[in-house]
């Protein structure tokens, strides 16, 4: 399992979530593409980053059932939703709540284990208020066992 596969899962969730018409005024960018993040923020901006990824052997002897073996992977994803300067953070909680509901609804593969907010913060580099939404995803990667 590579980071690319985790990114594909996260990208798929974000694409489906941002299809929600209530998020049409939010622009989504990946954290490593900082050049796409304008300063000052002129509209709602969601910066998506994969904070961590872990692999655990979650089956006794790494066996899922007869003929299969597998491991569980988890990833912690942070989505910082920035408010435009003219909003002063007025609707950050509302937009973050819509995003959290939208990403849960986008989860047709049942990989989301938890979604939660953090308190509103201020980013001095972006000169904007933001509300982080943390999404924990987990899934099993199974393959046929060779006996």
């Amino acid at each position: 399992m590579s980071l690319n596969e985790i990114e594909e899962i996260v990208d798929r969730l974000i694409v489906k979530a941002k299809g929600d018409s209530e998020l049409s005024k939010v622009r989504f960018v990946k954290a490593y593409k900082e050049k796409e993040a304008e300063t000052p923020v002129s509209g709602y901006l969601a910066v998506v980053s994969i904070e961590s990824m872990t692999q655990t052997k979650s089956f006794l002897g790494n066996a899922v059932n007869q003929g299969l073996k597998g491991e569980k992977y988890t990833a912690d994803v942070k989505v910082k939703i920035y408010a435009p300067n003219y909003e002063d953070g007025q609707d950050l909680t509302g937009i973050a709540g819509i995003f959290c509901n939208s990403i849960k609804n986008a989860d047709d593969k049942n990989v989301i284990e938890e979604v939660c907010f953090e308190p509103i913060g201020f980013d001095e580099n972006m000169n904007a208020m933001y509300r982080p939404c943390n999404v924990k995803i987990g899934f099993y990667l199974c393959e046929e066992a060779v006996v």
Side-chain angles (χ1 to χ4, degrees), residues 100 114-118 132-135:
C100 286
E114 181 181 7
V115 177
C116 64
F117 290 110
E118 287 181 29
C133 182
N134 298 314
V135 181

Side-chain angles (χ1 to χ4, degrees), residues 89 113 134 147:
E113 295 181 347
N134 298 314
V147 257

